[in-house]
Amino acid sequence: MRASPQCILSFIALLLNVVSVSSYPVGGRLRLPVFADQNVKVSKIKLVLSLNGGYELQAFPTVDGSFLFPEVPAGTHMLDVISVDLLFPQVRLDVDGGTGNVAAAYANNPMQGLPSPLIIRPLARAEYFERRPPFNLASIVMSPYGLMIGFMVFALFIMPMLKVDPEEYKELMGTKQEVLPSASSESKGPSQQRLQ
């Protein structure tokens, strides 16, 4: 029996496909801190491994914080720990296709490697609200309402204390009276002349 070239090529392609899809287990542990006011719940944490081809693998940690991805293909992948209470760093995983060794490092600092069974610690607690700033008198005074109140206090109490010199006051009143009679005679003049 003689095999056709197409059968041989398809068998070789199938064999290469099986070899290239070799997968390895990747596991580790989350170090969860216990805060004084609140214990972090493991049930609110999910691990997402983004693979090269755009696929995602998900895992959930056990009560002690350990996790396992049973079949991770060879290549470079990104591991994200999603938590409501804590912020975790993104981890880059390099899975060697030949030996199955896993090299892990932080995504933002590739020079800082992680141990072989991964141990991931949170960066900080997640803060969702901005803290209210403490009382500040300067912020009240410099607000629009504070400036309006300051101007009104100046107008009521300080401006009456600014007195005009009596000689200047008499001169001002004299010019005011001179302007008023001349303006009244000019306004009466043309209309009364027509009537007469």
Side-chain angles (χ1 to χ4, degrees), residues 47-49 67 69 77-81 90-91 93 118 120:
L47 290 100
V48 177
L49 185 65
F67 62 91
F69 292 100
H77 314 295
M78 298 303 277
L79 176 64
D80 293 309
V81 181
Q90 191 175 32
V91 177
L93 298 176
L118 295 174
I120 304 173

Side-chain angles (χ1 to χ4, degrees), residues 7 27 31 58-60 78 84 90 98 104 111 118 126 134 144 166 178 184:
C7 289
R31 294 283 182 182
Q58 295 184 1
F60 296 95
M78 298 303 277
V84 175
Q90 191 175 32
M111 301 305 289
L118 295 174
E178 289 175 2
S184 63

Side-chain angles (χ1 to χ4, degrees), residues 20 83 101 134 139 158 171 173-174 184:
S20 66
S83 173
N101 290 336
S139 66
I158 306 297
E171 186 180 315
M173 293 307 282
S184 63

Side-chain angles (χ1 to χ4, degrees), residues 15 23 25 36-37 39 61 64 68 74 86 94 111 126 136 149-150 187 189 193-194:
L15 186 62
S23 58
D37 59 343
N39 290 333
D64 66 342
L68 178 68
L86 300 170
D94 293 319
M111 301 305 289
N136 188 359
I149 290 170
S187 63
Q193 288 175 358
R194 287 185 189 164

Side-chain angles (χ1 to χ4, degrees), residues 180-194:
L180 287 177
S182 65
S184 63
S185 67
E186 288 176 4
S187 63
K188 288 182 184 178
S191 61
Q192 287 181 358
Q193 288 175 358
R194 287 185 189 164

Side-chain angles (χ1 to χ4, degrees), residues 1 3 8-9 18 20 27 45 61 67 70-71 82 92 96-97 114 132 134 144 153 162 166 180:
M1 280 180 107
I8 294 173
L9 287 176
V18 169
S20 66
I45 298 176
F67 62 91
E71 296 180 358
I82 300 170
R92 178 182 169 177
D96 187 16
L114 293 172
R132 176 179 277 187
V153 166
L162 300 174
L180 287 177

Side-chain angles (χ1 to χ4, degrees), residues 1-15:
M1 280 180 107
R2 194 164 180 217
S4 68
Q6 291 176 344
C7 289
I8 294 173
L9 287 176
S10 63
F11 179 72
I12 291 173
L14 181 64
L15 186 62

